[in-house]
Amino acid sequence: MKKHDVRQSAKLDFREDLNFILMPKVIPSANWATLQDWIVDAIRLSYYNGRGKFDDSRPSNEWFRRSYRLIEATWNALNSPGAHYQFLLFPNLEIPPVYLRVDAYLGDVPWKKAMKIYTHAAPDEVVVDSPRVEPFDYPGAETAARIVHFIEVDPSDHTLATRYSYPIRKDGMDILVRAFIPNLAYVQDGVPVLEEFVRGIVLSFRDKA
């Protein structure tokens, strides 16, 4: 009989003190009748866990409408059925959120070979220059990296976006975090909060709980 691999029970937990929205694969009908109802609640949560937590303010109608359109577009365009977890992470409420996808894989592929896979851009992305690959400090990891791709969003005016990827090998698993920042102007505010999120991911195994 084949021995059970405890890694099949891998579970990821995330920091609860950062301002993000978990994008569910299916809207739970017991809590929300429609996608629109869920979006409205998600917007309220994102605001009151962010600015409203500190100054008791209320969102403006303009901010509410903008956030609604953005979350709806993310759900329709970016929600990927194969991903383990997907988030909108708000570095602050003045700039667009960072889109995050988090996956976990068995870490059986040699790291050098795995990194060749992780450094590839998506097939539909126009990448400017080679990816920037750097070491990344993640608690307890055997090895981890930060990979930065610069992506041409609009060829007509050479608008650039960035994709940050964080492959992490720990306890025989590979955690892969991929983040999309829609404009270089948001990198300075977005990356520090993004990396707080990444370092706050906790890997555990249900069989050991």
Side-chain angles (χ1 to χ4, degrees):
M1 180 181 293
K2 187 176 180 181
K3 185 178 178 181
H4 173 65
D5 189 340
V6 70
R7 295 178 302 168
Q8 298 289 353
S9 69
K11 178 177 178 289
L12 300 180
D13 289 303
F14 305 92
R15 286 180 57 164
E16 296 183 355
D17 60 332
L18 296 178
N19 191 29
F20 61 78
I21 296 171
L22 173 63
M23 304 291 286
K25 296 182 188 302
V26 178
I27 301 301
S29 58
N31 298 324
W32 298 278
T34 66
L35 172 64
Q36 290 71 31
D37 291 339
W38 172 78
I39 292 174
V40 169
D41 274 0
I43 294 169
R44 289 172 177 160
L45 180 66
S46 70
Y47 189 89
Y48 290 112
N49 277 354
R51 174 179 296 172
K53 180 168 61 178
F54 298 105
D55 62 13
D56 296 323
S57 61
R58 294 180 178 274
S60 67
N61 289 335
E62 178 186 357
W63 184 88
F64 194 96
R65 286 193 296 268
R66 184 177 75 238
S67 298
Y68 186 99
R69 290 194 300 269
L70 191 147
I71 293 171
E72 186 177 44
T74 302
W75 174 269
N76 291 331
L78 298 177
N79 195 38
S80 173
H84 278 79
Y85 306 92
Q86 294 173 99
F87 303 89
L88 288 178
L89 174 67
F90 292 80
N92 63 58
L93 298 178
E94 305 302 328
I95 65 174
V98 177
Y99 170 72
L100 283 167
R101 170 175 171 157
V102 185
D103 293 281
Y105 309 98
L106 299 181
D108 293 337
V109 176
W111 182 249
K112 187 174 181 180
K113 184 175 180 180
M115 280 295 289
K116 288 182 179 179
I117 299 170
Y118 297 148
T119 52
H120 283 171
D124 58 342
E125 291 180 342
V126 179
V127 176
V128 179
D129 209 351
S130 300
R132 192 174 74 210
V133 182
E134 305 163 337
F136 180 69
D137 179 26
Y138 176 89
E142 298 167 33
T143 186
R146 176 195 297 111
I147 304 167
V148 186
H149 287 97
F150 294 95
I151 303 161
E152 192 171 62
V153 178
D154 186 349
S156 66
D157 64 4
H158 303 293
T159 302
L160 294 181
T162 52
R163 183 175 301 285
Y164 279 74
S165 300
Y166 300 85
I168 300 157
R169 179 154 293 181
K170 186 177 189 293
D171 297 335
M173 297 290 298
D174 281 3
I175 304 168
L176 179 61
V177 182
R178 283 168 284 191
F180 180 77
I181 300 178
N183 191 300
L184 293 184
Y186 308 136
V187 166
Q188 183 174 355
D189 288 333
V191 170
V193 180
L194 165 61
E195 296 195 345
E196 280 189 70
F197 178 93
V198 175
R199 291 189 178 98
I201 297 173
V202 176
L203 170 67
S204 62
F205 302 98
R206 290 184 178 90
D207 289 6
K208 292 183 178 179

